């Protein structure tokens, strides 16, 4: 375990070095946040939806603030995969899957905290109907934070699946590009899942992607009642376990291929 | 039983060729990288492993470091089979690959070392005494807080060596460690490897194209070509076999003096300068020198130092590599 925590700590610290990327990321996400909010306000002006506009703007801002949790990728690792240097990680007495899982977790955590904290502060200052509103209730707030943890585990597990796919195709475009498109769409980053047609939502809410940020945000806004957390949070953990299992299987079969075919 | 035992090791790779026009499937080609290699290495030996590009050197190193599984044959290192129980096995070995890095690019090297401490579960005391020892021997103290990306190639290689030896491996694999290094860095690296080998009895297996590395470090050399072992023994004995011709350049005070050379010596005159090649086994060097001196006053003379690369090239040629 020591090795994994050590890798986690090191990646946390490393992430704080990329301040230029942080400022760039904040500006970019602020831009998207404002555009999306304006877009939904225009939509509501024409045709009001059953979900209150404050919930939608809160949804948009939390998604934009934690964008880095969904999409940060480890450039070093992709380089290693392309060049074949990844095979030299087999010379270490650790599990590669968990080593890179913890590395990804640190990158996502620090990257999104550094960008998310100032953005949420900014969005909280905006007028109601433009920015973030307060949580529905204190239990709703506590449960949304609690649900963020298994959601985070799922995000890191999905990242490792994308890496596992890249190990096969050797190129982060292609299939893993499609995976990230699925992620952006069905996590609610592009269009809040609450605005999808009801019949779509009946399916989408069970997908792994809605466990990431959608479930915590809906608990926050009160879309999901606090009592519903009894099955939401276990489902998130279940998906985390499934995604980890899938990723480990993928990495293990990649490792065997690597061992047979060479670096 | 020796420390490393390799017996009939085989490995082939499937290479997919580009699809030719008019054909539905890509053709596959099987490349036999190792065609049955056997050798043994004792604990504490410093072995050089040479051969032209594509001879199978790296494949052997990858198999012995647990990265690749062979198609056939056996290998044990210290009684362990590298590709079985890989994670336990790699605790006891260190690897340095000249063109690849195992340290983190953007962080100070001391942080990479402390991560390695946790990866190999070293105790604080053990780690700090070993780090102190290595950083002194490799002159890394000043560089500890510098990120890897800011180091020169020579400094980086020293840092890599330190990283691969922190956990006191019994066996160290070096794959072209001096590639791209300047003369000073090369010499320092060789001195360090000799020191580590004699101080701690670390067994070292070194692949290189730099014959000076082998001459300076290795008591034993193995030559590999086309996936087969072609020579295994001492370097001087190997060179003797191919070291048949020497070149001498002589400059006389007067132009073109009278000189009768025995048969088998080819000479070329250029005014007062003579360049000739002979084989010391047929004509003893002392005898030749006496002849040359009798012919006139010599103002300058050089005996071409044996160029190890030429010898190796001649050897590869004879072995049909």
């Amino acid at each position: 375990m020591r090795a994994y925590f050590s890798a986690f700590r090191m990646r946390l610290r490393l992430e704080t070095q990329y301040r230029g990327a942080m400022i760039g990321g904040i500006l970019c996400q602020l831009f998207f946040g404002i555009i999306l909010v304006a877009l939904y306000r225009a939509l509501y002006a024409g045709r009001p939806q059953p979900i209150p506009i404050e919930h939608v703007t809160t949804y948009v801002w939390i998604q934009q603030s934690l964008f880095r949790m969904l999409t940060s990728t480890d450039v070093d690792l992709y380089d290693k995969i392309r060049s074949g240097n990844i095979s030299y990680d087999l010379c270490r007495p650790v599990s590669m899957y968990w080593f890179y899982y913890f590395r990804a977790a640190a990158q996502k955590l620090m990257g999104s905290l550094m960008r998310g904290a100032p953005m949420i502060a900014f969005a909280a200052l905006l007028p109601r109907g433009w920015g973030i509103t307060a949580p529905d209730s204190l239990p709703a707030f506590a449960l949304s934070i609690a649900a963020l943890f298994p959601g985070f585990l799922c995000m890191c597990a999905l990242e490792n699946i994308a890496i596992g796919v890249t190990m096969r195709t050797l190129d982060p475009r292609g299939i893993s590009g499609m995976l990230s498109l699925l992620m952006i769409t069905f996590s609610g980053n592009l269009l809040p899942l609450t605005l999808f047609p009801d019949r779509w939502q009946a399916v989408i809410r069970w997908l792994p992607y809605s466990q990431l940020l959608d479930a915590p945000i809906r608990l926050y806004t009160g879309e999901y009642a606090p009592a519903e957390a009894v099955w939401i949070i276990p489902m998130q953990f279940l998906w985390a376990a499934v995604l980890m299992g899938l990723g480990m299987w993928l990495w293990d079969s990649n490792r065997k291929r690597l061992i047979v075919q060479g670096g | 039983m020796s420390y490393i035992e390799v017996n009939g090791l085989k490995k082939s790779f499937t290479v997919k060729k580009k699809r030719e026009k008019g054909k539905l499937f890509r053709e596959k080609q099987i490349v036999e990288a190792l065609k049955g290699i056997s050798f043994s290495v004792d604990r504490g030996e410093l072995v050089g492993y040479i051969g032209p590009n594509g001879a199978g050197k790296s494949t052997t190193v990858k198999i012995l470091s647990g990265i690749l599984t062979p198609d056939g044959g056996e290998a044990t290192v210290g009684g362990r089979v590298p590709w079985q129980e890989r994670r336990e096995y790699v605790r006891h070995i260190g690897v340095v690959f000249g063109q690849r890095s195992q340290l983190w690019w953007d962080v100070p090297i001391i942080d990479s070392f402390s991560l390695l401490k946790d990866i190999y579960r070293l105790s604080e005391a053990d780690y700090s005494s070993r780090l102190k020892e290595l950083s002194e021997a490799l002159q890394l103290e000043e560089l500890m807080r510098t990120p890897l990306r800011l180091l020169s190639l020579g400094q980086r290689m020293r840092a890599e060596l330190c990283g691969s030896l922190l956990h006191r491996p019994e066996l160290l694999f070096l794959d072209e460690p001096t590639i791209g290094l300047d003369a000073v860095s090369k010499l320092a690296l060789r001195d360090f490897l000799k020191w580590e080998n004699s101080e701690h009895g670390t067994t070292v297996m070194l692949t290189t194209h730099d014959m000076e590395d082998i001459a300076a470090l290795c008591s034993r050399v193995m030559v590999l070509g086309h996936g087969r072992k072609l020579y295994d023994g001492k370097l001087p004995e190997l060179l003797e076999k191919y070291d048949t011709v020497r070149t001498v350049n002589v400059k006389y005070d007067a132009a073109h003096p009278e000189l009768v050379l025995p048969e088998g010596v080819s000479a070329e005159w250029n005014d007062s300068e003579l360049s000739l090649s002979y084989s010391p086994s047929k004509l003893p060097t002392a005898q030749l020198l006496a002849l040359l001196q009798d012919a006139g006053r010599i103002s300058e003379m050089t005996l071409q130092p044996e160029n190890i690369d030429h010898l190796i090239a001649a050897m590869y040629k004879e072995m049909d590599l």
Side-chain angles (χ1 to χ4, degrees), chain A residues 2-3 6-7 10 13-14 17-18 83-85 87-88 90-95 103 259-262, chain B residues 11 13 62 67-69 86-87 90 97 100 102 104 106-107 111 115-122:
Chain A
R2 226 171 85 185
S6 191
M10 206 157 123
R13 245 184 309 154
L14 180 58
Q17 286 183 19
Y18 304 130
S83 64
N85 281 5
S87 63
Y88 294 95
L90 292 170
C91 299
R92 301 261 176 257
V94 290
S95 148
R103 230 176 101 127
I259 284 172
V260 174
Q261 296 193 338
Chain B
K11 178 79 195 173
F13 299 102
K62 280 183 186 170
I67 294 173
L68 280 177
T69 308
R86 182 184 58 81
R87 268 167 70 180
V90 294
F97 298 96
R100 315 192 182 237
Q102 55 183 337
W104 287 24
D106 279 337
V107 300
D111 291 350
L115 177 64
L116 288 169
K117 176 190 100 181
D118 289 336
I119 286 177
Y120 288 100
R121 290 188 233 148
L122 307 176

Side-chain angles (χ1 to χ4, degrees), chain B residues 16 32 63 91 98 129 131 236 238 287 308 316:
Chain B
K16 284 182 188 149
E32 285 181 89
I63 290 174
R91 249 172 223 298
S129 73
L131 183 63
L238 174 68
Q287 206 179 319
I308 210 162
Y316 286 171

Side-chain angles (χ1 to χ4, degrees), chain A residues 109-135:
Chain A
L109 186 67
M110 190 50 93
S112 56
L113 278 181
M114 279 164 56
R115 290 162 180 73
M119 279 185 63
I120 286 178
F122 170 80
L125 294 176
L126 294 176
R128 195 176 170 83
W130 278 91
I132 280 185
T133 51

Side-chain angles (χ1 to χ4, degrees), chain B residues 49-60:
Chain B
Y49 201 54
I50 63 170
N53 292 325
K57 302 185 299 290
S58 296
T59 306
T60 316

Side-chain angles (χ1 to χ4, degrees), chain B residues 171-219:
Chain B
L171 171 62
L172 179 65
F173 289 107
L174 298 163
D175 198 1
E176 303 188 34
T178 55
I179 198 159
L181 295 189
D182 64 38
V184 178
S185 302
K186 270 187 194 176
L187 292 174
L189 197 83
R190 288 176 196 149
D191 283 344
F192 169 77
L193 288 173
K194 268 190 248 176
W195 171 84
E196 168 69 22
N197 172 260
S198 64
E199 193 77 8
H200 297 285
T202 311
T203 311
V204 179
M205 248 186 107
L206 170 79
T207 77
T208 184
H209 291 295
D210 188 333
M211 292 313 298
E212 300 292 334
D213 284 347
I214 303 278
L217 286 171
C218 303
S219 48

